[in-house]
Structures are given as C-alpha cells and as structure tokens.
Amino acid sequence: MRQSEEDREKLGAPPAHESYLTDGTTVMSWLNTRDHKRVGVMFLVAVVFFLFLGGVFALAIRMKLLYPGPFLFDALTYNRLFTLHGVTMIFLFMIPAIPSAFGNFVLPLMIGARDVAFPRLNLASFYVYLAGAVLAVWAMVHGGADTGWTFYTPYSTTTPTMLFPLLLGVFIIGFSSIMTGINFIVTVHTLRAPGIGWMRVPLFVWGIYATSVIQVLATPVLGLTVLLVALERVLGFGIFDPARGGDPVLFQHFFWFYSHPAVYIMVLPAMGVISECVATFSRKNPFGYKAIAFSSLGIAFVGFFTWGHHLFVAGQSVFDNGVFGVLSMFVGIFTAVKVFNWVGTMYRGAISFKTPFAYICGFLFFLVFGGMTGVALATVALDVHWHDTYFVVAHFHFIMVGAVIMGFLAALHYWFPKMFGRTYHEGWGLVAASLIILGFNATFIPQFLLGNNGMPRRYYQYPEHFQALNVASTAGATLLGFGFIIIFIYLVIALRWGPRCEQNPWRSKGFEWLTPSPPPTHNFDKIPHITQDPHDYRTHAPSGVYTDV
Amino acid sequence: MTENGEHHSALPYFIVWVALVILTVTTYRTGRMHLGTWALPLALTIAVTKSLLVILFFMHLWEQKGANRIVIGTSFVFVALIISLTVADVATRFPLATPAGAPFGSDIPAQLEEPAPEYQPPAGKIGEPPRGVPEPK
Amino acid sequence: MSEAAALPPGEHLVHGTDPHLAHHFSSLERQVDASRLGMWLFLSTEVLLFAGLFTGYAVYRYSFPVAFAASARTSEIWAGTLNTIVLITSSLTVALAIHFVRAGRQRAAVACLAITLFFALAFLGIKAIEYTAHFHEHQLPGRYYRFEGVRLPGAEMYWALYFLMTGLHGLHVVIGMTVLAVIAWRTAHGYYSAHYYVGIELAGLYWHLVDLIWIFLYPLLYLI
C-alpha cells in the first residue's frame, strides 16, 4: 500500500550491489558454500519445512480430538502422530531454528566478523542435520514409533514399532547441534571486531552464546541416552531392564538431563531476538544491558540443575523431589529479570508498532503465563495433580509456541529485509500476527482447563464431558494454521516481488545493520571499529530526544 | 610462533610420565588390598591426581588461556552434578523402589539354581496387547 | 577492556600473508587460539558423553556393591593394568611428538607418532584378548550372562556397564588412531613445522582425552 509505493519512488530500480545472494548462482555454489549467510538461509528453508510438517501432525491430532471416541484413525496411529509431532517439532525445528538459521546469518555481522570461526564445520553441521532429519522422516514414512518423543523405558525398549532409525536420526542431529554450539562459542571468543569487548556484544549474541554453552554440555548426554536405548533393543544390554537389575527411571534421569536444558536451547535465542527487537521498536536503550546479558548465562547454568522436576511422580525419591522442586524455582528469577527489563525498555519508549513488535507483545504475554504455570508445576504437590495432563501440555506449548515461535517469527520479520533486501507487506504481517496470537490463545487456554479438570495427555479417547473444550482447542489450532499459511504466502511473494529496501529500514542501532541489506559475501569492506554501545538510541543531548541513525 | 613457557627440554614430560606410572602402581597395590569403604575415595583421588597431571602438563592447560580452563572445568562440574543428584535419588528412595530391592537385598549371596531365564519381549503383534495381559472386560 | 583484533581498525585484511591463515581471522595466533578452544569444547562434549555411563556405574554400584566388587575381582586385572601403562606411555610419546615438531625435529616427531600408534594397537590387542576371555567365561552383559563364578543380582549390570564403557572407549581409541595416522602421514610429508603445528596439537589433545577416560575406567572397573 502506501509504504511500498513510497519505497518504489525512492529506490527506483533494484540496487546494483553484489550480495551474498548473487555471488554464485549455481546449485553447487550453494551446496558447497563456506558463507555463513548461505548456510543460515539453507537452515531456514529446512526448518520452515519441518515446522509445517510438525504442524500437519498437530492438526491431525487435533482433528481426531474433535470426537471423544474413535475417529479418523486408530489408537496406534494416534500414538505415532503425537510421537512424530514431538520429534519433528523439537529436534527438527525448535532446537536448530533460531540458532542455526538466524544465529548463523546474523551473529558474525553483529560482532563485525567476516564469517564464523569454522566455516567448513558450519556447512558440515547443515549436512549432518539433514542426514539425521532424512533418517527421522524415513522412519516416520515407514510407520514410526509410538513411544512419545520422550522414549520412556521400559516401553521404548520393548515396543515392536520401528524405533531404531528414529533414535539414530536423533543421535545424528545431536552432532549437528554440538557443531553449531562449538562454532558459535569460538566465534564470539575470537572473532569480535576492534572495540567490541564482552560488554559491547549485542544481546542476541549473549543469547546465542548461552544457548551454545548448553548445546555443548547437554547434547552428548542425549546421544548416550538414545544409544543406550538402541543397544538395549538390539543387543539386550539391559541397563534399564528391571529383570536384569536395571532401573527404568534411570532413563528418565539421563533423558531429562539433556531435555530440560534443551528447552533453554529453544527459548534463549528467542529471548535474544526479543531483546534486539524491543530495543529497536521502542527506540530506547535496554533497561539493563548487563542484567539481560548475565541472566542469559544464569538461565543456561541453572537450567542444568532442574531436570528432576520431570520425574516428580516417576518414582524419584522424596529427597530429590524436594531438591529439584526448590532448584526449579530459581530459573524463574532470571526469566523475571528479563521480562522486567523488556517492559522497562518499552516504558516511555517511542514505540513503532510494526509486525515484529506485534510478536513481541505475543511473546511477553505467553512467556509470562507459560513461565508462571511452569513455576506452579515445579511445586511437587501441585504436579501430582497436573502431571501427564493437558495442563502440562498447555504449559509447554505456551513456552514452545507462544514464546519460542513468536521469537522465531519476530526474527523472521525483523531480519527479512537484512537477509533478502526486500520488505514484505506490513498490513498482512499484522493480520497474520493477530491470527496467530488469537489462534494460539484459542488453542491452548482450553487445554489448561482440560488438564486441570483431569484430562490426561497422549490419550486417544477421552470422556464426553471434555469434548467442548477440545473442539474449542481444535478451532484455535485451525486459526493458528491459517496464520502460518498467510505468513508463508506473503513472505514468498515478498522474496520475489517485494519492494527493495534501504540498508536499515528499521533505523536500528544494531551492528548487523551497518552492512548493506543483503550483505556482500565478505560482510564488511573494512572491518568496523565500534565505539558505541549496542542498542544505544541516545543522542548526546540530555533531553532524551531520539534521532534517526 | 612462540608461547609462554616454551621448554627446550623433554625432561618435564618424562617426569610426569614417571609420576603417572608410580600412581598407577599405587592404585593397583591399594586396589588389591581391598580397603572396604575407603577403596573408592582413594581410587578416585589417585585417578583425579593422574588426570590433573595429564591435563595440566601433557595437554598444556597449565600454560593456556583461561577460556580453555573454564571449559574443561565446567564440564567436570556438570559430571559431578549428574552423578550426585542421580545417585542421591537411588540412595534416598523407599527401599523397595530401588533396583532389585538394593542395597538391602544385595549383600546376601543369591542361591540361583539355574541361570536367569531367557529374555522375552512381551509384545506380540503391533497393536495387540502384550502376552499374558488379561483382556479388558 | 576489549581483547579484540591485533590489526588496526579499518584495515583491509591482507590475504596471502601466511598460507595457513584463513581469510576471516585477523592473525594466525588468533586462528590457532580458536582451534584450541574449539578442541577443548569438543573434549568437554566427550567428557559429558562418558558422564552418563559413569552415572549408570555409580547408580548400579551403589545398588549392588557386593556383585560389583565380586565381578571386578574376576576381571582380567593384569590386562587392565598393562593397558593403563600402555596408554600413559602413548600419551607421553604423543606429547613428545609435539615437542619434537616445535624443536624442528620432524623425523623424531614422526617416530614418536608411530610409536604412539603402536601402543594404541597394543591396547586394542590386549583388549581383544580380554574380551575373548570374557566370552569364554560367559561374563557377558544383560541377558547373556552365564558366569558361574559370581551368581549375584547385579553381576549382569556390572558386565553390561563394563562392555559399554570399555566398548565406547575402544571406539574412541580407534577414532584416535585414525586421526593420529593421518597426522603422522601429514607430519612426514612436511605439513607441519615449528611455526604451525596445530593439527598435531589437536590430535594429541584428543589422544590425551582417551587416556584420561581410561585413567578413570581402570580403577572403577578392575580394582574396587
């Protein structure tokens, strides 16, 4: 509408500069790239595909749950569907999405580097991810497992469904995660441009750094765990088999030692994105830069101490229940620090209500409610009632979808001009954001009520009196799906026909906007010397007037 | 390329090697003595000493940057974390909820008449209930 | 305050100053630091990988102390002890190899790497003898356990953990040997010098880790 016409008048013909997109247009130049930006774009395409695949599984589940009795497909298929939904969404989408797609693209730009520390390792991480993903999809096509993405023993060691390729796929994807984590940590340590000390590193980089620490420390334990299950299935090693003296709960200890920090792998990058967007769209300095930076590290560290809260009713000892219950509360402190800082940043800022800001609003609302229900679940006495009900499902979807996917969509809309040099239709952006936020609420708030009223999760059939809320939830899921489809449509249109934009359409002070949009392959003609703090929107006049870049 | 502490002699490596061999012999001899409760802490202390010698001198961590030390130090902290809280679970459970009733049942030598039976996965065909499970009414 | 690049700001990076220098690093020293940090990070992932097995060992040792002690006594202690000495010595020789490259003595370095490989093979050979002995005695993991000498609950767990831990360790020995063989070949063909020896250093770090893991496995599995 108006915005694009003005742009077309101002910019006229597409700019003539070379960019990473035009530097080599053959397929091989993409498949054999060392350029972190191209690797990031390839990851983006892959994770978006798996987001839609996982969404299809989710919609299938919700369709079945329209009716309390058997409908559409049988119970075994239903079990497979929720397993595949979980595995696809978590391992194939959520873990790599923001770090490997946006982190890869933006992190070197934000620290004034020409690439990540190990470019070939970066490319390898993409192929390893693809290999694991292909294996997992192959397992799905051939029937797939019915254990849930949590693979609890003893069912996972004895189920006759095809588990081995799925386990192997997850194992391989773990390597990709570790490679990315190592690459990012070394990049931040050794490739910062002159002037970028640790306290001048942008907040998204802090988020990615903390995420990478978790990826490096936690993922090997997942690798070992799936390996042990596979060995027990294939060779009968019996580590978790009570008949041999084993302990099935030990599996849960191993599994959650990774999987709880894994949720912080998913959420910390989203929080980093929100930190960037809040500063940009409030045109105001972060309320507390150090608080946000150190709380990222705090979440990464404390997140490792809390895994036992998934085992409260599994047979874990009362002593450990108490310890983990208390430790789980601490993570909430760091998250609260961040939320207060974001709100403090927006307060008295010059708010620019663009599409990324709409996602910020959704993120904040969902993070607060998801986080508070998390603290409630961490209370052992309450978890006895809520464990394995839809209350837990709603809680983690509030964080996983409500917070992380809002962060992903915010990143997508914020950095779309940077990555592709074009802008999308702002009106449709806001429409889709509204649909998603509304649809999300309609999907998952009924699930809190269902869970509190006792509906168990992963059940194929349910008592009739739960049907109304289930129908509401499915209606919301459909709305959510429409929102995603609309985003996909207008972004693809923008990729091809969107108006070209200037270098810094958001007038952001982020360091990545110092390069052209899209950037050239070598990122910077000259390595910049940064003399300003990140996200610094002050003028040097004391009146607090905010100027353009 | 020069580094701090570049030594021109290989002697330090041999000294460390001798120390490691002595510690190995020590742990072997004390291990054979069957010291009861002190066996494990002693063995772990010797192992930690040996590993510190390898890490600091063979792997040159003594002369390297702080970041590398923090990395490996943090990983050992997390190893301690996973072991301690998991063992704490098994150690403080209601006794009959532990593997095979351990530790209360495990110090009596079992009088097995025959080896444990061959392991049979309980499930039949996919989708059917496992063998031996009564059909629901 | 900032430990940033050594080059003055705004300077174009000069390509071709050093054939080993990648275009995105400001100096070779920084690149080598990055490689080392990357390797230490990778080593910490290996430590965490074995941590799970050590946890399983701790849990089941706590649960079945008598079975574990009895089973450890029936293990091939001579083989474990000899393997420990073998690995410690191989750590020495790989450290010496790096020392010799830094001193410019390429052939001595290659010889040390070859000796390291020999020790690695010796380790695997002794392990093979051990495993054969265990197969004959039916000291096997999980449901295959048939050893008459120790018939206690938990003996199966001991042997499951024994084979898992030494098996995973053995896999890492094989990987380390492969890496060392490649590095030895490259050293012999002059890829490394006193000026640039990162490859040998990183391979050495990996090999020391293999030794480190065994330092902990040996007393826990064989002695106590």
Side-chain angles (χ1 to χ4, degrees), chain A residues 27-88:
Chain A
V27 172
M28 275 314 291
S29 72
W30 276 86
L31 294 181
N32 197 26
T33 184
R34 306 278 192 267
D35 183 0
H36 65 99
K37 299 181 288 301
R38 288 193 164 193
V39 174
V41 169
M42 291 197 289
F43 261 112
L44 184 63
V45 170
V47 300
V48 166
F49 172 76
F50 287 115
L51 172 64
F52 278 92
L53 184 64
V56 163
F57 291 139
L59 280 171
I61 295 171
R62 289 268 29 118
M63 287 302 143
K64 151 68 196 74
L65 290 173
L66 280 173
Y67 290 95
F71 175 61
L72 283 181
F73 39 75
D74 66 350
L76 180 64
T77 310
Y78 179 81
N79 291 357
R80 285 173 167 150
L81 277 170
F82 68 66
T83 307
L84 298 177
H85 169 69
V87 169
T88 309

Side-chain angles (χ1 to χ4, degrees), chain A residues 290-476:
Chain A
K290 281 190 185 165
I292 300 182
F294 288 124
S295 63
S296 300
L297 290 179
I299 291 177
F301 187 67
V302 174
F304 274 95
F305 288 77
T306 62
W307 80 88
H309 63 235
H310 300 270
L311 282 71
F312 278 158
V313 298
Q316 187 173 245
S317 70
V318 173
F319 172 77
D320 259 24
N321 277 359
V323 167
F324 282 118
V326 170
L327 288 173
S328 301
M329 302 288 173
F330 285 112
V331 178
I333 298 175
F334 296 108
T335 313
V337 163
K338 285 184 183 272
V339 171
F340 284 125
N341 269 284
W342 291 320
V343 173
T345 307
M346 294 194 291
Y347 181 65
R348 291 202 168 184
I351 304 287
S352 166
F353 205 102
K354 304 283 190 204
T355 308
F357 194 81
Y359 289 115
I360 292 172
C361 293
F363 175 94
L364 282 174
F365 180 78
F366 298 137
L367 183 72
V368 166
F369 278 89
M372 291 200 300
T373 50
V375 171
L377 281 163
T379 312
V380 181
L382 296 175
D383 190 54
V384 172
H385 177 60
W386 285 325
H387 181 79
D388 264 351
T389 66
Y390 265 85
F391 194 91
V392 178
V393 174
H395 154 70
F396 66 70
H397 280 94
F398 258 69
I399 302 290
M400 297 291 108
V401 183
V404 178
I405 292 194
M406 295 297 129
F408 176 81
L409 293 172
L412 188 58
H413 288 78
Y414 181 55
W415 282 314
F416 189 88
K418 176 95 252 159
M419 294 170 80
F420 304 111
R422 297 178 187 266
T423 49
Y424 48 84
H425 193 283
E426 183 62 33
W428 279 108
L430 287 173
V431 165
S434 312
L435 269 178
I436 285 185
I437 291 173
L438 235 92
F440 178 88
N441 275 313
T443 312
F444 292 108
I445 289 179
Q447 291 188 9
F448 275 125
L449 300 170
L450 279 170
N452 197 40
N453 286 329
M455 179 173 170
R457 61 186 286 204
R458 293 179 171 171
Y459 270 41
Y460 177 65
Q461 300 181 39
Y462 56 82
E464 295 232 353
H465 59 271
F466 288 140
Q467 183 172 21
L469 285 170
N470 270 296
V471 171
S473 182
T474 303

Side-chain angles (χ1 to χ4, degrees), chain A residues 113-119 171 175 178 181-183 185-186 189-200 215-218 220-221 223-224 227-228 231-241 243-248 250 254 257 522 525-529, chain C residues 1-5 7-13 15 22-26 30-31 33-39 41-57 59-60 63-64 141-144 153-157 159-161 163-164 168:
Chain A
R114 293 193 184 280
D115 209 316
V116 289
F118 307 121
F171 185 79
F175 276 113
I178 289 174
I182 292 179
N183 223 340
I185 293 177
V186 178
H189 273 266
T190 58
L191 282 174
R192 283 169 287 127
I196 305 188
W198 280 98
M199 288 295 116
R200 274 217 187 131
Q215 281 178 306
V216 163
L217 289 173
V221 179
L224 181 76
L227 183 71
L228 287 176
L231 283 175
E232 190 159 332
R233 283 179 70 81
V234 172
L235 291 177
F237 267 55
I239 293 287
F240 306 120
D241 183 1
R244 307 266 87 83
D247 184 7
L250 185 65
F254 287 163
F257 185 83
H522 50 276
D525 285 329
K526 296 184 188 174
I527 296 291
H529 182 126
Chain C
M1 175 191 87
S2 66
E3 329 94 46
L7 281 182
E11 189 74 9
H12 289 261
L13 289 186
H15 297 270
H23 79 287
H24 56 288
F25 278 103
S26 55
R30 196 155 272 249
Q31 180 176 316
D33 280 344
S35 303
R36 279 203 201 114
L37 178 60
M39 193 63 195
L41 283 164
F42 177 67
L43 294 184
S44 66
T45 68
E46 297 279 18
V47 168
L48 264 298
L49 181 74
F50 279 89
L53 287 173
F54 282 107
T55 309
Y57 175 90
V59 165
Y60 291 126
S63 303
F64 304 112
R143 68 182 193 234
Y144 303 105
E156 300 166 354
M157 275 300 138
W159 288 105
L161 281 163
F163 278 100
L164 276 169
L168 192 62

Side-chain angles (χ1 to χ4, degrees), chain B residues 38-52:
Chain B
W38 287 108
L40 181 64
L42 179 62
L44 282 178
T45 311
I46 298 176
V48 166
T49 313
K50 287 165 79 176
S51 55
L52 277 174

